[in-house]
Amino acid sequence: MKVLVIGATGTVGSAVVGALETSHDVVKASRSGPVKVDLEDPASLDALFDEVRDLDAVVCCAASGPLVDLESAADEEIAGGMRGKLLGQVALARRAVRHLRDGGSVTLTGGTFSAPLAGGSLGALINSGLEGFVRNAAGELPRNLRINVISPGWIKETLEGMGLDSAGGTPVSEVARAYVEAVEGAMQGQTVRP
């Protein structure tokens, strides 16, 4: 299969690329890579699909959302936080549907935390929105296309990089396996929590 991975240079994206490259032709895209894309720039999404064709799967690992203080955050800060991770991935999925081969798939990235997180209200809104979008969009897709969302919590390696206790984190290799299963499997409209 020919698989486009967006956010290919990040911690999760690099692991997903490594896991997929053993069996698939992987096209790596990021804000700074040779194939450039920015989820917050719809024109860059259009240019991406003009450049990269004949895709079987699109995987987005580029989604991140800021922690914000609910009481003091400005409306624009909330809107800005939603632009990339939620609205950007929705825009990506909408475009991917027009360019994927029959039976292809879109895999997005959400997030899950087992307990309330200080500053996490915006993230909860975004991630719940993504899950609802994927669940419903699955029933609307033509040509046997599939859509799913991978919703990891803390990544062990990210916690280590932040100098925090990584015991509660999921190893990035486990998270990458979930993306591979979404690309290669038959799941549809699912939220996968590795």
Side-chain angles (χ1 to χ4, degrees):
M1 282 193 279
K2 185 174 180 183
V3 183
L4 171 64
V5 177
I6 297 170
T9 58
T11 301
V12 172
S14 295
V16 169
V17 166
L20 286 168
E21 276 183 326
T22 60
S23 303
H24 305 286
D25 175 18
V26 177
V27 178
K28 298 174 256 187
S30 65
R31 285 183 186 155
S32 60
V35 177
K36 294 192 183 327
V37 67
D38 183 343
L39 290 177
E40 294 187 36
D41 179 5
S44 82
L45 292 170
D46 293 331
L48 173 68
F49 287 108
D50 285 343
E51 178 181 350
V52 182
R53 298 189 171 272
D54 301 319
L55 291 167
D56 297 291
V58 173
V59 176
C60 184
C61 302
S64 64
L67 294 175
V68 299
D69 180 70
L70 186 61
E71 183 180 354
S72 64
D75 290 341
E76 181 48 41
E77 190 176 3
I78 299 295
M82 293 181 66
R83 254 189 300 279
K85 187 168 184 181
L86 177 60
L87 300 178
Q89 288 192 94
V90 168
L92 171 68
R94 290 179 52 242
R95 284 161 175 81
V97 165
R98 296 191 299 258
H99 295 278
L100 284 168
R101 290 181 178 143
D102 291 359
S105 70
V106 177
T107 306
L108 304 178
T109 296
T112 298
F113 298 99
S114 58
L117 174 67
S121 295
L122 175 59
L125 170 66
I126 291 167
N127 295 325
S128 295
L130 277 170
E131 290 179 19
F133 170 75
V134 163
R135 192 171 41 252
N136 199 80
E140 297 181 39
L141 296 181
R143 302 181 291 106
N144 295 318
L145 297 175
R146 297 180 301 106
I147 186 167
N148 297 287
V149 60
I150 307 300
S151 191
W154 287 108
I155 307 295
K156 180 179 189 216
E157 291 79 358
T158 300
L159 290 170
E160 289 170 352
M162 295 168 65
L164 300 172
D165 180 12
S166 64
T170 304
V172 73
S173 60
E174 270 183 50
V175 174
R177 275 196 299 276
Y179 284 89
V180 172
E181 289 171 14
V183 168
E184 295 178 344
M187 69 180 73
Q188 170 66 304
Q190 299 298 305
T191 297
V192 179
R193 293 179 171 86

